[in-house]
Amino acid sequence: MSILNQYVCAAAGGNTGVPDCAIQLKDLKKGFLVPRSFELTATDLATPESALAALQAAAVNDDPSLRIYPLPQFEEVTDNTEDVVTEAIGGTNFIVRDGKYNLLIRYVKGGQCVSNALRKFMNFNGGIIWVDSAGVVAGWKSGTSLKGIPLNQFYPNPARIATSTTIANYSFTTSFEAAYFNEGLGFIQLNPADVFGISGLQNIVLSLVAPRSTTTFRLRTTTGCAAIDLYDQYGADLANTSNFVVTRNGAVVTVTSIATDANTKSLLFTLDSTDPDYNAAGPFLVSGAGVSALVANDVEGYEILPLLVA
Amino acid sequence: MAHGTKAIASFNKDYMKRVKKDVFISTHKHLADLGVDLEAEWLKYNPKKESEEKK
């Protein structure tokens, strides 16, 4: 058996009986930007509960490169999909190829904060998973897995300024090949409220309250965009040595304690001066120990951004 | 979680188990100033050491 000169013709057709219940995607309400490697495996897809749990876990993955990023709730989807490309020959418009999908999606929730965060995904080289208003989660069916539809382009548009008659306009455009949303479409049905409830992480920004004093320093914790002080709500939960990692020149330096300081509404760190990696000269890089560490200490929905303490 | 003005402190378990009480207390006076009972905290991690020291 040889494959020489054996051209593989496309299937001649398919049976066109109409099923009693067929998938018809409704208006898209949400999406997830996912890494190329992300997939919901056959095990994940065993039940709606396991699929939802896999999505929830992926949204808080400690490794940002493996994390899926929930997009804000869609308020308006404009279909700018390219028409089928044809060539007119002898009066017949012969099909050259399918048009590419281009969707312009406008959102309101999150405003400038989310807009600025999404701008960091400029030319994101990953995929997208869509969610419609009925909770159908749609992506690319690859074998027994559900993957993200590879994006030709993800472009977060610059915000447009509010006017006397319109609110500020936040939007992004996505572009992808038609095959993924047709023959390659994979989907699962989840409870809409459950899947809409998967939200993105917020950053916790650390800032030095006063210059470091050899082994001690105080850090204030605020949210990344709105700069809301987290001390009153999470101070006691954040004051846990398992939430943070301190390094100097890449080597971990032991943090002996972290305590709340109500006077300055900050976290008081103490370093172990007997640690061989400690050097009074510093500087020390203070990082979060991971999203899962925060969750374990009842601080959910956040990730700590690193700070260099001189 | 809401809390009062008395500091809530978390300690490194490995460090607490190896540090001597007097060293710990002398190097963490700033926590005592915030209302942390250093001796009680050290004892949480070293109950046996304390009883051995008394012997």
Side-chain angles (χ1 to χ4, degrees), chain A residues 2 73 77 141-142 150 156 158 170 173 208 259 273 277 288 296:
Chain A
S2 167
Q73 178 181 306
V77 179
K141 183 179 181 298
S142 176
Y170 304 106
T173 58
L208 205 54
S273 62
D277 295 310

Side-chain angles (χ1 to χ4, degrees), chain A residues 242-259:
Chain A
S242 63
N243 285 331
F244 296 90
V245 176
V246 174
T247 58
R248 182 180 166 278
N249 293 336
V252 174
V253 177
T254 302
V255 178
T256 67
S257 65
I258 300 177

Side-chain angles (χ1 to χ4, degrees), chain A residues 233 241 256 258 260 270 272, chain B residues 1 7-8 10 12 18 28 30:
Chain A
Q233 189 176 3
T241 54
T256 67
I258 300 177
T260 56
T270 307
D272 179 6
Chain B
M1 187 187 292
I8 293 167
S10 159
N12 181 302
R18 70 169 181 267
H28 289 76
H30 51 284

Side-chain angles (χ1 to χ4, degrees), chain A residues 146-228:
Chain A
L146 183 68
K147 291 186 169 184
I149 293 172
L151 288 165
N152 289 343
Q153 179 173 261
F154 177 79
Y155 183 71
N157 295 302
R160 293 177 67 175
I161 298 166
T163 68
S164 55
T165 56
T166 62
I167 61 171
N169 186 327
Y170 304 106
S171 67
F172 57 84
T173 58
T174 62
S175 178
F176 49 94
E177 301 294 328
Y180 293 109
F181 211 70
N182 290 276
E183 301 84 357
L185 185 69
F187 61 89
I188 54 175
Q189 172 78 60
L190 297 181
N191 180 314
D194 288 340
V195 71
F196 294 158
I198 302 174
S199 55
L201 298 172
Q202 289 190 70
N203 293 330
I204 293 179
V205 174
L206 306 174
S207 56
L208 205 54
V209 173
R212 175 174 62 91
S213 168
T214 58
T215 59
T216 66
F217 54 88
R218 287 173 168 80
L219 298 182
R220 189 166 288 139
T221 52
T222 53
T223 59
C225 182
I228 295 168

Side-chain angles (χ1 to χ4, degrees), chain A residues 263-282:
Chain A
N263 300 321
T264 56
K265 290 201 168 188
S266 65
L267 304 179
L268 172 55
F269 286 64
T270 307
L271 303 179
D272 179 6
S273 62
T274 64
D275 187 320
D277 295 310
Y278 170 85
N279 185 313

Side-chain angles (χ1 to χ4, degrees), chain B residues 5 7 9 12 16 31 40 42:
Chain B
T5 52
N12 181 302
M16 292 298 280
L31 295 186
W42 187 86

